[in-house]
Amino acid sequence: MRIALYPGSFDPIHNGHLDVIERAAHLCERVVVAVAQNIGKEALFSIEERVDLIEEATRHLDSVEVAAFEGLLVDFYARIGADAVVRGLRAVSDFEYEFQMALMNRQLSPEFETIFLMPSQEHIFLSSRMVKEIARLGGEIGPFVPEPVASALLARLRS
Ligand code: PNS
C-alpha cells in the first residue's frame, strides 16, 4: 500500500496511537497522520499544538508526515490520494463506532477503504480522555504518552 491516512483528534497523542502509526509505517510507503480541526468537542490542545506534538513523537519515522484537516474526511482522503484509512481497534467497545464511521465514509465515497490495526496489548486500555483525567488528578502519565506530551500536559494543567 502506498499512502495510509491515519485520522483522529489526537488531543493529545498517546502511546497507543504511536503503536498504530508504527504498525502502519511498516505496511505502507507513506503514512499521513491527520489531525481533525472540527472534532465537536472542546480540545485541551490547539490544532497547531496537536500537530507539533505528533511531529515530535514520530520524528524517528521517516515515512510519517502530519497534517491538519478541516471538513469531511472523505474529501481530505481524495485530496491526498490515500489508498486506505487506518484506525486502531482496541476493544469490542470501539467496534460499533468504527464500523458505523467506516460504512458511512464508504457510503459518501465508494473508493474509501478502512483498515483496522490492533495496538499491542499493553496499550489497549489507553485513551486521550483517560490520560488527561489521570494527569488532572495528579497521577503518573509517563508510561502512557511520549515524553514531550507528558511535559506539555503538565504545563497546560498547571497554567
Ligand atoms: O480520534 P477520534 O475523535 O475518534 O477521530 C474521529 C475522526 C476525527 C476520525 C472523525 O470524527 C472524522 O473523520 N471527522 C471528520 C469529519 C467527518 O468526515 N465526519 C464524518 C465521519 S463518518
Side-chain angles (χ1 to χ4, degrees):
M1 193 161 63
R2 228 167 48 80
I3 306 178
L5 170 59
Y6 181 36
S9 308
F10 303 110
D11 184 43
I13 184 170
H14 56 64
N15 290 344
H17 293 132
L18 201 51
D19 182 299
V20 170
I21 294 169
E22 284 168 351
R23 285 171 200 283
H26 275 119
L27 296 171
C28 314
E29 283 174 30
R30 245 176 91 202
V31 180
V32 179
V33 182
V35 185
Q37 304 235 27
N38 45 347
I39 51 178
K41 44 191 173 187
E42 181 119 348
L44 182 64
F45 291 102
S46 70
I47 189 81
E48 293 82 12
E49 289 169 327
R50 285 180 275 151
V51 166
D52 286 350
L53 288 171
I54 300 169
E55 275 174 350
E56 280 207 59
T58 58
R59 196 151 284 157
H60 60 297
L61 299 166
D62 290 341
S63 59
V64 173
E65 57 199 84
V66 189
F69 80 101
E70 207 169 3
L72 285 176
L73 182 60
V74 289
D75 293 335
F76 187 68
Y77 181 96
R79 201 172 327 132
I80 67 165
D83 296 299
V85 149
V86 165
R87 293 280 292 173
L89 207 51
R90 290 166 299 189
V92 180
S93 51
D94 280 344
F95 183 75
E96 203 171 324
Y97 168 62
E98 294 297 337
F99 185 67
Q100 189 181 13
M101 196 157 63
L103 292 187
M104 177 54 85
N105 281 324
R106 187 185 282 166
Q107 187 72 29
L108 293 172
S109 169
E111 314 79 62
F112 194 100
E113 284 300 344
T114 307
I115 291 176
F116 294 106
L117 295 176
M118 274 163 283
S120 85
Q121 239 168 296
E122 58 185 297
H123 301 309
I124 54 175
F125 53 87
L126 260 178
S127 73
S128 299
R129 188 183 60 75
M130 274 193 187
V131 168
K132 284 183 282 193
E133 187 169 315
I134 293 164
R136 247 183 227 119
L137 299 174
E140 173 58 52
I141 52 167
F144 309 134
V145 290
E147 198 287 317
V149 175
S151 304
L153 257 173
L154 297 181
R156 178 57 43 90
L157 294 173
R158 259 191 239 117
S159 65

